[in-house]
Amino acid sequence: MRLKNVPGCRERIAESKYVIPEEELASCAGRWHEIFGREGEIHIEIGMGKGRFIHELASLNPDILYIGIEKYSAVLLRAVQKMEEEPKGNLIFIRMDAENIADVFAPGEVDRIYLNFSDPWPKDRHAKRRLPSREFLARYDKILKADGRIEFKTDNRVLFDWAVEELPGSVFGADVITYDLHSDEKLMEGNVMTEYEEKFSGMGNPICKYIITRK
Ligand code: SAM
């Protein structure tokens, strides 16, 4: 998701109490419960866009601690504005490229990772940038708890098939794979729609989803 540059957005992000200051990120690993001021499972969404999904999850599950990660300030600003309207004590944001995710969390610190409608990076030479790539899965392996899980949703069938083929090159295996989430009554229980999910399912695109855990 690219939004036009919003003048002053970097400054507004830097000043926001809902975003971890960039200079403090290096010291966050292993301290997330202290940062939230309480215990609880830690669930993160990587590439959260405008943050609707994670904001809604934070409302539904007040005991879980949520961290939304987004690369672009102009996009993150929308999530910050939503928090200003409707603050959540169990949700905080990071502006960063998730390539460095293993610097921000201690080994085993994260209970769950959500990847929603990740950018497809269609050129082969950019495959390593895809968030469900084996390179990213190796980073997730470093920070995810032993019984932690990763949930990935997309309407992009080419990206999804590729992501499933990446699994044998990782420590993860699929517990659930569906090519039409919205037709699966059981998997739809508690499903929270993302912005992209609403848009693309509304256009009639089937939504693919996997849930993976360590083999
Ligand atoms: N998850 C949202 C949804 O489903 O509506 C947004 C999907 S949008 C297609 C993908 C988002 O991931 C964009 O906002 C993009 O900036 C972000 N993103 C892509 N690569 C990223 C990375 N390496 N680190 C952090 N964010 C990333």
Side-chain angles (χ1 to χ4, degrees):
M1 183 183 298
R2 298 279 168 94
L3 292 183
K4 268 193 277 176
N5 186 35
V6 178
C9 68
R10 275 192 163 257
E11 292 73 16
R12 287 170 70 184
I13 294 297
E15 285 161 11
S16 173
K17 62 180 174 183
Y18 302 118
V19 183
I20 302 289
E22 283 185 38
E23 62 279 10
E24 287 177 22
L25 276 177
S27 63
C28 287
R31 291 184 44 243
W32 284 103
H33 290 124
E34 187 191 321
I35 290 164
F36 278 102
R38 59 178 151 128
E39 292 303 305
E41 284 194 11
I42 295 176
H43 294 193
I44 69 176
E45 184 186 10
I46 303 180
M48 68 163 176
K50 298 180 199 165
R52 164 179 152 175
F53 170 84
I54 198 161
H55 195 274
E56 194 172 332
L57 281 184
S59 302
L60 291 169
N61 306 298
D63 294 338
I64 295 175
L65 307 174
Y66 289 97
I67 302 165
I69 298 169
E70 170 54 48
K71 187 158 61 168
Y72 292 108
S73 300
V75 185
L76 175 56
L77 185 58
R78 305 292 274 274
V80 166
Q81 286 165 337
K82 190 156 174 55
M83 277 282 270
E84 285 165 355
E85 287 161 21
E86 227 185 291
K88 301 282 164 215
N90 60 334
L91 173 59
I92 201 151
F93 302 128
I94 300 176
R95 196 208 64 76
M96 72 179 287
D97 187 322
E99 259 184 34
N100 304 316
I101 193 98
D103 298 337
V104 170
F105 296 97
E109 194 170 20
V110 174
D111 291 270
R112 192 175 299 182
I113 299 175
Y114 293 106
L115 308 174
N116 290 316
F117 295 78
S118 305
D119 292 335
W121 292 104
K123 291 184 182 146
D124 284 349
R125 70 172 190 277
H126 292 148
K128 287 183 187 174
R129 297 185 192 175
R130 297 173 192 149
L131 293 179
S133 66
R134 69 187 66 186
E135 288 79 8
F136 269 100
L137 292 175
R139 295 178 181 118
Y140 307 149
D141 180 34
K142 288 188 185 159
I143 62 170
L144 204 58
K145 206 162 264 181
D147 61 351
R149 73 198 219 193
I150 302 171
E151 301 196 6
F152 171 47
K153 292 196 276 193
T154 182
D155 69 320
N156 185 324
R157 181 65 190 261
V158 174
L159 175 66
F160 189 72
D161 287 343
W162 182 87
V164 170
E165 282 167 20
E166 287 292 275
L167 296 177
S170 79
V171 300
F172 298 103
D175 295 341
V176 168
I177 294 184
T178 176
Y179 297 92
D180 190 2
L181 172 66
H182 290 200
S183 298
D184 188 318
E185 218 173 287
K186 192 151 181 283
L187 286 179
M188 278 302 279
E189 273 171 30
N191 183 59
V192 170
M193 296 256 259
T194 79
E195 273 111 353
Y196 272 61
E197 184 173 357
E198 185 164 278
K199 178 174 168 194
F200 291 116
S201 64
M203 289 163 56
N205 296 3
I207 307 300
C208 305
K209 176 173 179 172
Y210 74 40
I211 299 176
I212 60 174
T213 53
R214 286 194 181 79
K215 288 179 251 190

Coordinates of all heavy atoms in Angstrom, one line a residue, residues 1 45 47-49 70-72 75 96-98 116-117 119 131 194-196, ligand 1:
M1 N 0.9 -1.2 0.0 CA 0.0 0.0 0.0 C 0.9 1.2 0.0 O 1.7 1.4 0.9 CB -0.9 0.0 1.3 CG -1.8 1.1 1.3 SD -2.7 1.1 2.9 CE -3.6 -0.4 2.8
E45 N 1.3 -7.9 13.7 CA 0.9 -8.0 12.3 C 2.0 -7.2 11.5 O 2.4 -6.1 11.8 CB -0.4 -7.3 12.0 CG -0.8 -7.4 10.6 CD -2.1 -6.7 10.1 OE1 -2.6 -5.9 11.0 OE2 -2.5 -6.9 9.0
G47 N 3.2 -5.5 8.1 CA 2.6 -4.9 6.9 C 1.2 -4.6 7.2 O 0.3 -5.0 6.4
M48 N 0.9 -3.9 8.3 CA -0.5 -3.8 8.7 C -1.3 -2.7 7.9 O -2.5 -2.6 8.1 CB -0.6 -3.4 10.2 CG -0.1 -2.0 10.4 SD -0.5 -1.4 12.0 CE 0.3 0.2 12.0
G49 N -0.6 -2.0 7.1 CA -1.3 -0.9 6.3 C -1.9 0.1 7.3 O -1.3 0.5 8.2
E70 N 4.6 -1.4 10.2 CA 4.4 -0.9 8.9 C 5.6 -0.1 8.5 O 6.2 0.6 9.3 CB 3.1 0.0 8.9 CG 2.8 0.8 7.7 CD 2.8 0.0 6.4 OE1 2.2 -1.1 6.3 OE2 3.5 0.4 5.4
K71 N 5.9 -0.3 7.2 CA 7.2 0.4 6.7 C 7.0 1.8 6.4 O 7.9 2.6 6.5 CB 7.6 -0.4 5.4 CG 8.9 0.0 4.8 CD 9.5 -1.1 3.9 CE 8.7 -1.4 2.7 NZ 9.4 -2.2 1.7
Y72 N 5.8 2.2 5.9 CA 5.7 3.6 5.4 C 4.9 4.5 6.4 O 3.8 4.2 6.8 CB 5.0 3.6 4.1 CG 5.8 3.0 3.0 CD1 5.5 1.8 2.5 CD2 7.0 3.7 2.5 CE1 6.3 1.2 1.5 CE2 7.8 3.1 1.6 CZ 7.5 1.8 1.1 OH 8.3 1.3 0.1
V75 N 1.3 5.6 5.6 CA 0.3 4.6 5.8 C 0.1 4.5 7.3 O -1.1 4.4 7.8 CB 0.8 3.2 5.2 CG1 -0.3 2.2 5.3 CG2 1.2 3.4 3.7
M96 N 8.9 0.3 10.7 CA 10.2 -0.3 10.3 C 10.0 -1.2 9.1 O 8.9 -1.6 8.8 CB 10.8 -1.1 11.5 CG 10.1 -2.4 11.7 SD 10.8 -3.3 13.1 CE 12.2 -3.9 12.3
D97 N 11.1 -1.5 8.5 CA 11.2 -2.6 7.5 C 11.3 -3.9 8.2 O 12.3 -4.0 9.0 CB 12.3 -2.4 6.5 CG 12.3 -3.3 5.4 OD1 11.9 -4.5 5.6 OD2 12.6 -3.0 4.2
A98 N 10.4 -4.8 8.0 CA 10.4 -6.0 8.8 C 11.6 -6.9 8.6 O 11.8 -7.9 9.3 CB 9.1 -6.8 8.5
N116 N -1.1 -10.2 6.3 CA -2.3 -10.0 5.6 C -2.1 -9.3 4.2 O -1.6 -8.1 4.3 CB -3.3 -9.2 6.4 CG -3.8 -10.0 7.6 OD1 -4.1 -11.2 7.5 ND2 -3.9 -9.4 8.8
F117 N -2.4 -9.9 3.2 CA -2.4 -9.3 1.8 C -1.0 -8.6 1.6 O -0.9 -7.5 1.2 CB -3.6 -8.3 1.7 CG -4.9 -9.1 1.7 CD1 -5.4 -9.5 2.9 CD2 -5.5 -9.4 0.5 CE1 -6.6 -10.3 2.9 CE2 -6.7 -10.2 0.5 CZ -7.2 -10.6 1.8
D119 N 2.5 -7.6 0.1 CA 2.9 -7.1 -1.3 C 3.5 -8.3 -2.0 O 4.3 -9.0 -1.5 CB 3.9 -6.0 -1.2 CG 3.3 -4.7 -0.6 OD1 2.1 -4.5 -0.7 OD2 4.1 -3.9 0.0
L131 N 6.9 -11.2 2.2 CA 6.9 -11.4 3.6 C 6.7 -12.9 4.0 O 7.1 -13.3 5.0 CB 5.8 -10.6 4.3 CG 6.1 -9.1 4.3 CD1 5.0 -8.3 5.0 CD2 7.4 -8.7 5.0
T194 N -9.5 -7.5 6.9 CA -8.6 -6.4 6.7 C -9.2 -5.5 5.6 O -10.2 -5.9 5.0 CB -7.2 -6.9 6.2 OG1 -7.3 -7.2 4.8 CG2 -6.8 -8.2 7.0
E195 N -8.6 -4.3 5.5 CA -9.0 -3.4 4.4 C -9.0 -4.1 3.0 O -10.0 -4.0 2.3 CB -8.2 -2.1 4.3 CG -8.6 -1.1 5.3 CD -7.6 -0.8 6.4 OE1 -6.7 -1.6 6.5 OE2 -7.8 0.1 7.2
Y196 N -7.9 -4.7 2.7 CA -7.7 -5.4 1.4 C -8.7 -6.6 1.3 O -9.2 -6.8 0.2 CB -6.3 -5.9 1.2 CG -5.4 -4.8 0.6 CD1 -5.2 -3.6 1.3 CD2 -4.8 -5.0 -0.6 CE1 -4.4 -2.6 0.7 CE2 -4.0 -4.0 -1.2 CZ -3.8 -2.8 -0.5 OH -3.0 -1.8 -1.0
Ligands
SAM1 N1 -2.4 -5.8 5.8 C1 -3.2 -4.7 5.2 C2 -4.5 -5.2 4.6 O1 -4.6 -6.4 4.5 O2 -5.4 -4.4 4.4 C3 -2.4 -3.9 4.1 C4 -2.0 -4.7 2.9 S1 -0.9 -3.8 1.9 C5 -1.0 -4.6 0.4 C6 0.7 -4.4 2.4 C7 1.4 -3.5 3.4 O3 2.6 -4.1 3.9 C8 1.8 -2.1 2.9 O4 1.2 -1.1 3.7 C9 3.3 -2.1 2.9 O5 3.8 -0.8 3.2 C10 3.6 -3.1 4.1 N2 4.9 -3.7 3.9 C11 5.4 -4.4 2.8 N3 6.6 -4.8 3.1 C12 6.9 -4.5 4.3 C13 8.1 -4.7 5.2 N4 9.2 -5.3 4.7 N5 8.0 -4.2 6.4 C14 6.9 -3.6 6.9 N6 5.8 -3.3 6.2 C15 5.8 -3.8 4.9

